[in-house]
Amino acid sequence: MQNSAHYAISTGRRLLCAVRPRLGVSSYFEERCLHRGAVYLSRNRKHETNVSALFKPVQVQANLDDEDVGSELVGKLEKSELLKILNKFAQRREIKALCSENGLDSYLQQQAFGSFRRFCIEAENLPVDIHIIFSDIMQGAGHINDIFPYFLRHAKTVFPHLDCMDDLKKISDLRQPANWYTNARAITRKIVFHAGPTNSGKTYHAMERYLSAKSGVYCGPLKLLATEVYNKANERGTPCDLVTGEERKFGISENSPASHVACTVEMTSVNTPYEVAVIDEIQQMRDPQRGWAWTRAFLGLIADEVHVCGEAGALDLLEKICETTGETVEVRRYDRLTELTVESSALGSLDNVMPGDCIVCFSKHDIYTVSREIEARGKEVAVIYGGLPPGTKLAQAAKFNDPENSCKVMVATDAIGMGLNLSIRRIIFYSLVKPTMNERGEREIDTISVSSALQIAGRAGRYRTQWEHGFVTAFKSDDLKILQRILEQTPEPLKQAGLHPTADQIELYAYHLPNSSLSNLMDIFVNLCTVDDSLYFMCNIEDFKFLAEMIQHVPLPLRARYVFCCAPINRKMPFVCSMFLKIARQYSRNEPITFDFIKRNCGWPPKLPKTILDLVHLESVFDVMDLYLWLSYRFMDLFLEASSVREAQKELDEIIQQGVFQITRLLKNTEAGQDGEIPSYQMRRATYVKEPRLPSSSRGRLTERLLAQGLLTPGMLSELRKEWDAQQHAVPQVQSADKDSQEYVTDSDDDDSLAGNTKKTRRKRRK
């Protein structure tokens, strides 16, 4: 399989070399062809993973009997003779064949033989039955193969899965996920697919049916969209509740649930019956991280009518899935309501930016650079990127949309692709290259997909705004040719929908494998699971495993540990990860996680940011508060002060808004700090502490980029340099007597230490 993939790639290169002079094949299509070949190769490498290596051997205790009964019966055993017998036993072909018949492959055989050998040699007193068998063999009264039953008993103690492999495979049989939702299968649902591009009115028509129904649920991809539906429904006189991971709002009252609900897709109830359900952005079923939530909603919603909205490319997959549920799909197609024109020339220079323009970047570094360059030309800029709080995004959108406001230009990431109503005249792609996460959790740089390009470009020329005719172009001339080809295509058809292990399935695994960690259980599940790959794929679990490994040594019940690891955390934010660990420890001690605990560890009250690093830290504090609110709805007994945290979060949102409004000044202050000290974003015990700087000579391009993106601080770099120097000089590290300090990450208030530990985590996984 692997050789064929290499052959396909090399053949593809030869063919491209042959046709390029004749057909003028662009570098974009070369990259896509070769990339797909590489993906094919990586997928087949994944299937070559040795599943047995995922099962960790259990340490077997030596025989604890004080009396050596075996020696009293048949005499002492010579250790040297015993070792010869064991080595001879391990080399016999018939023994290896018997091992294979009993589920021990070569890897497990090697591990089990080693463990059995140590057990027999190091034990002062062997169990009586084994002692007698060895004695008989030494005396010529027994055959060496007689050892096998005792070896197999030992092997099953070392590897408990040998006794339950069939059960594990049954638990992880995911070939018919439609059958998990018996209540949905018990009714005849009407499936209506509203297919169309951005700005075609497809969601509008589905929402009209939702609002006219006696009861309904809206399942959206973002909090902003769910909140928009919640507000719109209540304004139109249809009482509606809001349910997101971090928030609950009520259309009537807490004690009187409304018949309509607007929720984020992960929060969809598959136990409540509705007349109408709306699932927005159904093409997200293919998302490597979150796709499982759309699959679960589509298969599990108990509704007379299920209206799904999204790209036409999702139709074939939806119809195939509906064949497994005995349902049919009614298709309603929509065309774009406004005109969208791809310009014939690139922007070329930021001097050519005009009112109504939105420049789309795919990194924070580009956001900062472009924003500053435009404001240097005397134009005010609105800025939107994924890490901003919802309130700040809405404030920036309102500022840009307001015809009376002096701000006429926006710089944004692809976060504008959904969730915000923006009055954009022209979309300008600053770049066509975007970092993505592949199905194995690895970061890749690739040209944006047709689907992403169409979604973003479609934001220009919104219906019933001042800019009804939209335009699209690229910043660079070379990119424009590629962009034109991309936008001429239709979105790639969806091939598979995502699935994810449930808490119940992992609990059953833990019952059979009680000595395995949660991260290890997830690895075993994913590698053993059986999926109908003509319809489904297993979603990426790297973020889940990252959190599981971080809190592995924190004593938590399995169900609570699973819930903690489902928390929506950006693992690139060291401060948020540090707080996650502290909260998990506090919970494990059965101590309330109070607002004072949050304030003490986050440095409250916050100050207006002076640099970009200060702003990034405030965004991290906002994420910590989101984490608290998310956990407060799952562990209400120990997260008792959600209302106080929510009020503080509103205050913090306003401070972040002020920082974003003056983002250019923050950038200037950050750069000015390169010749002096950069004010710290790090807060320890409610005080700001200045970060030490590294000499500029010790910084490279990567360092500067990480600093600009807020992924590192000068203090972290200084700590890393100290650790490196200490390792180089073999300086012994003082071990803390406190067991907590020996855990995965230290429990100090300095979250700088987390950066080093996070990197160690990733290295461990790569081994």
Coordinates of all heavy atoms in Angstrom, one line a residue, residues 311-343:
E311 N -23.8 23.8 2.1 CA -23.3 23.8 0.7 C -24.0 22.6 -0.1 O -24.2 21.5 0.6 CB -21.8 23.5 0.7 CG -21.0 24.7 1.3 CD -19.5 24.3 1.3 OE1 -19.1 23.2 1.0 OE2 -18.7 25.2 1.8
A312 N -24.1 22.8 -1.4 CA -24.7 21.7 -2.2 C -23.9 20.4 -2.2 O -24.4 19.3 -2.4 CB -24.9 22.2 -3.6
G313 N -22.6 20.6 -1.9 CA -21.7 19.4 -1.9 C -22.0 18.4 -0.8 O -21.4 17.3 -0.8
A314 N -22.8 18.8 0.2 CA -23.2 17.9 1.2 C -24.3 16.9 0.9 O -24.6 15.9 1.6 CB -23.6 18.6 2.5
L315 N -24.9 17.2 -0.3 CA -26.2 16.4 -0.6 C -25.9 14.9 -0.7 O -26.7 14.1 -0.2 CB -26.8 17.0 -1.9 CG -28.0 16.2 -2.4 CD1 -29.1 16.2 -1.4 CD2 -28.5 16.8 -3.7
D316 N -24.9 14.5 -1.5 CA -24.7 13.1 -1.8 C -24.5 12.3 -0.4 O -25.0 11.2 -0.2 CB -23.5 12.9 -2.7 CG -23.8 13.2 -4.1 OD1 -25.0 13.4 -4.4 OD2 -22.8 13.4 -4.9
L317 N -23.7 12.9 0.4 CA -23.4 12.2 1.7 C -24.7 12.1 2.6 O -24.9 11.1 3.2 CB -22.3 13.0 2.5 CG -21.9 12.4 3.9 CD1 -21.4 11.0 3.7 CD2 -20.9 13.3 4.5
L318 N -25.5 13.2 2.6 CA -26.7 13.2 3.4 C -27.7 12.1 2.8 O -28.3 11.4 3.6 CB -27.4 14.5 3.3 CG -26.7 15.7 4.1 CD1 -27.5 17.0 3.9 CD2 -26.6 15.4 5.6
E319 N -27.7 12.0 1.5 CA -28.6 11.0 1.0 C -28.2 9.6 1.3 O -29.0 8.7 1.6 CB -28.7 11.1 -0.6 CG -29.5 12.4 -1.0 CD -29.6 12.6 -2.5 OE1 -28.7 12.1 -3.2 OE2 -30.6 13.2 -2.9
K320 N -26.8 9.3 1.3 CA -26.3 8.0 1.6 C -26.6 7.7 3.1 O -26.9 6.6 3.5 CB -24.8 8.0 1.3 CG -24.5 7.9 -0.2 CD -23.0 8.0 -0.4 CE -22.7 8.0 -1.9 NZ -21.2 8.1 -2.1
I321 N -26.4 8.7 4.0 CA -26.7 8.5 5.4 C -28.1 8.2 5.6 O -28.5 7.3 6.4 CB -26.2 9.7 6.2 CG1 -24.7 9.8 6.2 CG2 -26.7 9.6 7.7 CD1 -24.1 11.0 6.9
C322 N -29.0 8.9 4.9 CA -30.4 8.7 5.0 C -30.9 7.3 4.5 O -31.9 6.8 5.0 CB -31.2 9.8 4.3 SG -31.2 11.3 5.2
E323 N -30.1 6.7 3.6 CA -30.4 5.3 3.2 C -30.3 4.4 4.4 O -31.0 3.4 4.5 CB -29.5 4.9 2.1 CG -29.8 5.5 0.8 CD -28.7 5.2 -0.3 OE1 -27.9 4.3 0.0 OE2 -28.8 5.8 -1.4
T324 N -29.4 4.7 5.4 CA -29.2 3.8 6.5 C -30.3 4.1 7.6 O -30.4 3.2 8.5 CB -27.8 4.1 7.2 OG1 -27.7 5.4 7.8 CG2 -26.7 3.9 6.2
T325 N -31.0 5.2 7.5 CA -32.0 5.5 8.5 C -33.4 5.3 7.9 O -34.4 5.4 8.6 CB -31.9 7.0 8.9 OG1 -32.2 7.8 7.8 CG2 -30.6 7.3 9.6
G326 N -33.5 4.9 6.6 CA -34.8 4.7 6.0 C -35.5 6.0 5.7 O -36.8 6.0 5.6
E327 N -34.8 7.1 5.5 CA -35.4 8.4 5.3 C -35.0 9.0 3.9 O -34.0 8.5 3.3 CB -35.0 9.4 6.4 CG -35.4 9.1 7.8 CD -34.7 9.8 8.9 OE1 -33.5 10.2 8.7 OE2 -35.3 10.0 9.9
T328 N -35.7 9.9 3.4 CA -35.4 10.5 2.1 C -35.1 12.0 2.3 O -35.6 12.6 3.3 CB -36.6 10.4 1.1 OG1 -37.8 10.9 1.6 CG2 -36.8 8.9 0.8
V329 N -34.4 12.6 1.4 CA -34.1 14.0 1.5 C -34.8 14.8 0.4 O -34.7 14.6 -0.8 CB -32.6 14.2 1.3 CG1 -32.2 15.7 1.4 CG2 -31.8 13.4 2.3
E330 N -35.5 15.8 0.9 CA -36.2 16.8 0.0 C -35.2 18.0 -0.2 O -34.8 18.6 0.8 CB -37.5 17.3 0.6 CG -38.2 18.4 -0.2 CD -39.4 19.0 0.5 OE1 -40.1 18.2 1.2 OE2 -39.6 20.2 0.3
V331 N -34.9 18.3 -1.4 CA -33.8 19.3 -1.7 C -34.5 20.6 -2.2 O -35.3 20.6 -3.1 CB -32.8 18.8 -2.8 CG1 -31.7 19.8 -3.0 CG2 -32.3 17.5 -2.3
R332 N -34.1 21.7 -1.6 CA -34.5 23.1 -2.0 C -33.3 23.8 -2.3 O -32.4 24.1 -1.4 CB -35.4 23.7 -1.0 CG -36.6 23.0 -0.6 CD -37.4 23.7 0.5 NE -38.6 22.8 0.9 CZ -39.4 23.1 1.9 NH1 -39.2 24.3 2.6 NH2 -40.4 22.3 2.3
R333 N -33.1 24.2 -3.6 CA -31.9 24.9 -4.0 C -32.1 26.4 -4.1 O -33.1 26.9 -4.5 CB -31.4 24.3 -5.4 CG -31.1 22.9 -5.3 CD -30.5 22.4 -6.7 NE -30.3 20.9 -6.7 CZ -29.2 20.3 -6.2 NH1 -28.2 21.1 -5.8 NH2 -29.1 19.0 -6.3
Y334 N -31.0 27.1 -3.8 CA -31.1 28.6 -3.8 C -29.9 29.2 -4.5 O -28.8 28.6 -4.4 CB -31.1 29.1 -2.3 CG -32.2 28.6 -1.5 CD1 -32.1 27.4 -0.8 CD2 -33.4 29.3 -1.3 CE1 -33.1 26.9 0.0 CE2 -34.4 28.8 -0.5 CZ -34.3 27.6 0.1 OH -35.3 27.1 0.9
D335 N -30.1 30.2 -5.2 CA -29.0 31.0 -5.9 C -28.7 32.2 -5.1 O -29.5 32.7 -4.3 CB -29.5 31.4 -7.3 CG -29.7 30.2 -8.2 OD1 -28.9 29.2 -8.1 OD2 -30.7 30.2 -9.0
R336 N -27.5 32.7 -5.3 CA -27.0 33.9 -4.6 C -27.9 35.1 -5.0 O -28.3 35.3 -6.1 CB -25.6 34.2 -5.0 CG -25.0 35.4 -4.2 CD -23.5 35.6 -4.6 NE -23.1 36.9 -4.1 CZ -22.6 37.1 -2.9 NH1 -22.4 36.1 -2.1 NH2 -22.2 38.3 -2.5
L337 N -28.3 35.9 -4.0 CA -29.3 37.0 -4.2 C -28.6 38.2 -4.7 O -29.3 39.1 -5.3 CB -29.9 37.3 -2.8 CG -30.8 36.2 -2.2 CD1 -31.2 36.6 -0.8 CD2 -32.0 35.9 -3.1
T338 N -27.3 38.3 -4.6 CA -26.6 39.5 -5.1 C -25.5 39.1 -6.0 O -25.0 38.0 -5.9 CB -26.0 40.4 -3.9 OG1 -25.1 39.6 -3.1 CG2 -27.1 40.9 -3.0
E339 N -25.0 40.1 -6.8 CA -23.9 39.8 -7.7 C -22.5 39.8 -7.0 O -22.3 40.6 -6.2 CB -23.9 40.8 -8.8 CG -23.1 40.4 -10.0 CD -23.2 41.4 -11.2 OE1 -24.1 42.2 -11.1 OE2 -22.4 41.3 -12.1
L340 N -21.7 38.8 -7.4 CA -20.3 38.8 -6.9 C -19.4 38.7 -8.1 O -19.4 37.8 -8.9 CB -20.2 37.5 -6.0 CG -18.8 37.4 -5.3 CD1 -18.5 38.5 -4.3 CD2 -18.7 36.0 -4.6
T341 N -18.4 39.7 -8.1 CA -17.5 39.8 -9.3 C -16.1 39.6 -8.8 O -15.6 40.2 -7.8 CB -17.6 41.1 -9.9 OG1 -19.0 41.3 -10.4 CG2 -16.7 41.2 -11.1
V342 N -15.3 38.7 -9.5 CA -13.9 38.5 -9.2 C -13.2 39.5 -10.1 O -13.3 39.5 -11.3 CB -13.4 37.1 -9.5 CG1 -12.0 36.9 -9.2 CG2 -14.3 36.1 -8.7
E343 N -12.4 40.4 -9.4 CA -11.8 41.5 -10.2 C -10.6 40.9 -11.0 O -10.1 39.9 -10.7 CB -11.3 42.6 -9.2 CG -12.4 43.3 -8.5 CD -11.9 44.4 -7.6 OE1 -10.7 44.5 -7.3 OE2 -12.7 45.3 -7.3

